[in-house]
Amino acid sequence: MDLSQKSTIVRGRGKNKRKWTMNEDDELMKALYEISLEPKWKGQGGGFNNGYLSALEDILAEKLPGAGILALPHIESRVRHFRTKYGALEQMLSRSGFTWDDTKKMLQCEKIQYDKHCKVRYPLHMHVCGDETHES
């Protein structure tokens, strides 16, 4: 077989990334909410029962025909991404000085409170958080 006719498919960790559109994210959130209302998908401890990713795939296939969003790896990865981001927000909101601005849909705090949070949570990355006294 001539190598110039062979299709090149790059596989491996981190090489099969899917860029989600805002519309796709919105539909995923609506689908998650939809299945959260169904008792058959509610798991112990506030999670979902096995098979929920397939249910989400079916809902998204109906809402977004032709998008090709699969339970594995697409939906699983995106749900993990949202869980990570939500966990970080939840942690900050549990601390005094952090509030949620419902109008702007964003976390609010004083810079000194943010710097204090970063110093405790990410001591090795203070230069990213904004500590000018950090020496590289």
Side-chain angles (χ1 to χ4, degrees):
M1 179 177 178
D2 183 13
L3 290 177
S4 64
Q5 294 175 347
K6 196 174 185 180
S7 63
T8 56
I9 299 172
V10 180
R11 298 204 188 261
R13 186 177 178 167
K15 303 214 175 168
N16 191 17
K17 300 265 185 200
R18 181 175 212 296
K19 298 280 186 193
W20 285 71
T21 66
M22 193 176 273
N23 184 46
E24 290 169 343
D25 277 342
D26 288 345
E27 290 300 331
L28 176 58
M29 289 297 112
K30 289 176 192 173
L32 279 164
Y33 178 72
E34 188 178 318
I35 68 165
S36 76
L37 300 176
E38 293 183 37
K40 74 176 187 177
W41 295 118
K42 289 187 179 183
Q44 294 179 333
F48 291 110
N49 285 330
N50 290 337
Y52 84 98
L53 292 173
S54 296
L56 289 172
E57 181 179 327
D58 294 342
I59 294 168
L60 292 179
E62 183 183 312
K63 301 284 184 183
L64 302 165
I69 299 173
L70 303 174
L72 295 171
H74 305 134
I75 297 171
E76 178 191 43
S77 175
R78 198 63 175 171
V79 168
R80 191 179 327 111
H81 166 77
F82 285 131
R83 192 178 294 133
T84 301
K85 298 300 178 197
Y86 174 76
L89 289 174
E90 184 179 42
Q91 181 191 42
M92 284 190 255
L93 286 170
S94 71
R95 296 175 180 262
S96 129
F98 290 91
T99 58
W100 181 257
D101 184 330
D102 206 34
T103 306
K104 294 180 180 178
K105 306 290 187 216
M106 63 186 285
L107 196 66
Q108 296 284 306
C109 69
E110 297 292 325
K111 179 159 176 23
I112 193 163
Q113 187 66 26
Y114 178 73
D115 289 344
K116 195 169 154 185
H117 170 77
C118 288
K119 218 172 246 182
V120 170
R121 184 81 175 138
Y122 309 103
L124 299 176
H125 304 293
M126 280 307 297
H127 63 284
V128 175
C129 291
D131 184 1
E132 285 97 28
T133 62
H134 177 78
E135 293 184 25
S136 303

